[in-house]
Amino acid sequence: MYSHKKSEALRAEAENVILGGVNSPSRSYKAVGDRAPVVMDRGEGAYFYDVDGNRYIDYLGAYGPIITGHAHPRIHEAIAEQSSKGILYGAPTTLEIDFGKKIKEAIPSLERVRFVNSGTEAVMTTIRIARAYTGRNKILKFEGCYHGHSDLVLVAAGSGPAQLGTPDSAGVPKGVAEDVITVPFNNLDDFKTAISHFKDEIAAVLVEPIVGNFGIVEPEDGFLEAINEISHDNGSLVIYDEVITAFRFMFGGAQNLLDVEPDLTALGKIIGGGTPIGAYGGRKDIMESVAPLGPAYQAGTMAGNPLSMAAGLACLEILEQPGVYETLDNLGEKLEDGLVDLIDKYDITATINRLKGALTIYFTEESVTDYTMAEASDGEEFAKFFNGLINRGINIAPSKYEAWFLTTEHTEADIEETLAIVEDVFKNDF
Ligand SMILES: Cc1ncc(COP(=O)(O)O)c(C=O)c1O
Ligand SMILES: NCC(=O)CCC(=O)O
């Protein structure tokens, strides 16, 4: 069993300076026994090393961006090289043109794109554009989908807000929240009812095409196609939040994988290769609502910064190599199969949702298809599981609502080691 003495000693020091001791609430261990979060020292490939010198196999992947493992030499070199030429210009660069082309080639619905600095900004802007373009105010989102922390989307939010019991955040003006309609994911009847009730008030329907924020949940057959058809018939735009999904399951978006196209798309995480990034884009005529061409404003001192562009390009070049996503899928399958065997062997009440290199274990009987089911999964069992893992060398998110992410650096040996640790946890802690 690992000792976490130094991490524990750092807790008070951190809390005296950083509010709550963490720079994002998701990182607190509040939902898993309120212990001191493990303080990491360095990452290398599929591994993390903490301040106590413990090694972990990492499946957090920094909540998604780290798909090529920590400190990938090619990304490191790209950042170092760019840093020697200046890290921020506030002027156009060829890098951003090259990167824009790469993104557009991979996800053709992005006829025009803009780079920003976070997924939050990307989603927030797509909503503003949809409102500008349609002249309508309301948006419709799905329960438990998380779209960053701008006011409008902190309603029925999954992920961190759900984990900490604040899916509807304090501080969001009532008038703002009134412009958000929420319906359950994978429930077309409720969706149709909401559309026919609010009709021409709805500017856009915002959705994670494959959910990553109450675990990995795929849309049922025909769900996204119906959303497109019904929204468009209603004069509403469709926005895909692909901050988690883009370049996660294939070289492109979930929209390529599922063969459905939104009007606007928000991106983030993986496309920055681990640096701060967001991007949004979509149909040219809609994007032309944005300044300097149109009346909707969006800007940023750091937007399209050369470091993120260079790191993002390097990351996409790695992911573009043949066989990358097949390998992620094979490793994911090996991990899932092994976990399922152990769940059976130790008679654990749990179920797994997996798509290629991403999976979620829910401590519940039934397979999870919407937020209510994810919410109903057993948080105490999850906490036991999380603590068993972190005390033995596996790092996952401290929340039952997040996913495990594989990287190009994980190996079959890592999966075998992981399964041996899970077995030890099930045998001794459950
Ligand atoms: C689907 C989705 N959208 C938006 C965001 C917000 O991105 P960021 O944390 O970069 O602001 C996240 C994750 O945090 C996300 O998972
Ligand atoms: N899936 C949810 C996140 O990635 C959130 C990360 C954060 O806000 O720290």
Side-chain angles (χ1 to χ4, degrees):
M1 286 290 193
Y2 284 4
S3 153
H4 291 111
K5 277 208 175 80
K6 286 190 181 159
S7 284
E8 282 154 16
L10 283 165
R11 184 178 193 179
E13 197 177 328
E15 286 176 357
N16 272 332
V17 49
I18 295 165
L19 191 277
V22 285
N23 276 306
S24 187
S26 312
R27 298 176 204 166
S28 92
Y29 284 12
K30 223 172 157 177
V32 288
D34 204 13
R35 57 187 278 187
V38 171
V39 179
M40 292 302 174
D41 180 43
R42 69 193 168 87
E44 194 183 301
Y47 309 124
F48 253 149
Y49 298 85
D50 73 7
V51 289
D52 286 283
N54 300 309
R55 188 201 78 160
Y56 304 84
I57 302 176
D58 181 35
Y59 293 98
L60 177 68
Y63 289 86
I66 303 298
I67 194 172
T68 60
H70 296 284
H72 192 288
R74 192 142 165 200
I75 296 182
H76 172 65
E77 275 161 31
I79 292 174
E81 195 197 324
Q82 186 53 46
S83 137
S84 74
K85 297 193 239 171
I87 56 177
L88 189 63
Y89 299 167
T93 62
T94 51
L95 265 177
E96 65 193 3
I97 302 173
D98 293 344
F99 193 42
K101 279 187 196 159
K102 192 125 209 126
I103 299 263
K104 184 175 165 180
E105 262 166 42
I107 310 179
S109 77
L110 275 77
E111 293 173 358
R112 291 294 182 274
V113 67
R114 265 284 175 80
F115 293 108
V116 291
N117 295 293
S118 66
T120 296
E121 269 184 86
V123 175
M124 180 180 82
T125 312
T126 57
I127 294 170
R128 182 177 305 142
I129 300 169
R131 288 168 146 182
Y133 184 82
T134 59
R136 301 173 176 185
N137 268 342
K138 290 196 194 301
I139 63 156
L140 186 149
K141 75 179 281 290
F142 294 87
E143 279 167 18
C145 284
Y146 177 72
H147 301 289
H149 64 96
S150 71
D151 277 359
L152 204 61
V153 289
L154 278 182
V155 176
S159 187
Q163 170 204 3
L164 298 170
T166 50
D168 302 293
S169 173
V172 174
K174 205 161 170 271
V176 171
E178 276 167 10
D179 276 338
V180 186
I181 304 148
T182 57
V183 297
F185 191 74
N186 272 334
N187 186 328
L188 265 186
D189 289 340
D190 284 13
F191 175 72
K192 286 179 190 160
T193 307
I195 293 277
S196 59
H197 184 77
F198 291 99
K199 291 196 182 78
D200 59 6
E201 291 178 80
I202 302 175
V205 173
L206 171 63
V207 64
E208 292 182 72
I210 295 165
V211 178
N213 279 300
F214 48 89
I216 299 294
V217 175
E218 291 178 61
E220 282 165 6
D221 280 351
F223 182 64
L224 293 173
E225 288 81 355
I227 286 181
N228 260 6
E229 193 181 325
I230 296 164
S231 303
H232 290 153
D233 283 350
N234 190 52
S236 311
L237 299 183
V238 175
I239 303 170
Y240 280 4
D241 181 346
E242 294 230 38
V243 169
I244 285 190
T245 52
F247 301 95
R248 161 81 43 215
F249 307 115
M250 64 173 282
F251 194 81
Q255 56 192 274
N256 307 60
L257 190 72
L258 303 170
D259 198 21
V260 274
E261 268 193 7
D263 302 295
L264 293 168
T265 299
L267 305 172
K269 298 204 191 244
I270 288 176
I271 63 162
T275 61
I277 202 160
Y280 68 89
R283 261 172 51 195
K284 179 169 171 282
D285 62 316
I286 303 172
M287 287 294 286
E288 284 175 349
S289 310
V290 180
L293 300 189
Y297 201 71
Q298 174 269 314
T301 305
M302 306 285 169
N305 74 80
L307 273 191
S308 296
M309 299 295 100
L313 264 171
C315 179
L316 294 193
E317 280 163 15
I318 300 164
L319 295 178
E320 217 174 3
Q321 299 305 308
V324 165
Y325 288 94
E326 286 77 6
T327 305
L328 289 170
D329 189 19
N330 290 339
L331 287 176
E333 187 177 14
K334 188 175 165 75
L335 180 58
E336 180 187 7
D337 289 351
L339 290 170
V340 168
D341 286 349
L342 293 172
I343 287 167
D344 284 350
K345 183 169 172 189
Y346 292 94
D347 205 15
I348 308 287
T349 303
T351 171
I352 293 177
N353 280 3
R354 177 183 72 91
L355 183 59
K356 301 193 187 272
L359 64 78
T360 303
I361 303 181
Y362 302 91
F363 289 89
T364 184
E365 206 121 26
E366 271 177 284
S367 119
V368 171
T369 58
D370 67 17
Y371 175 65
T372 309
M373 296 170 89
E375 198 183 19
S377 71
D378 194 321
E380 281 174 24
E381 290 284 282
F382 175 82
K384 206 158 54 175
F385 186 58
F386 171 86
N387 283 297
L389 296 181
I390 197 85
N391 290 338
R392 291 170 174 87
I394 306 286
N395 184 55
I396 63 170
S399 162
K400 67 177 188 175
Y401 295 106
E402 305 290 346
W404 299 40
F405 295 121
L406 285 156
T407 73
T408 57
E409 298 302 293
H410 285 88
T411 62
E412 296 212 353
D414 292 326
I415 304 296
E416 282 152 22
E417 188 181 337
T418 301
L419 293 170
I421 290 174
V422 171
E423 173 148 28
D424 198 33
V425 173
F426 283 164
K427 197 193 281 180
N428 295 298
D429 298 3
F430 274 72

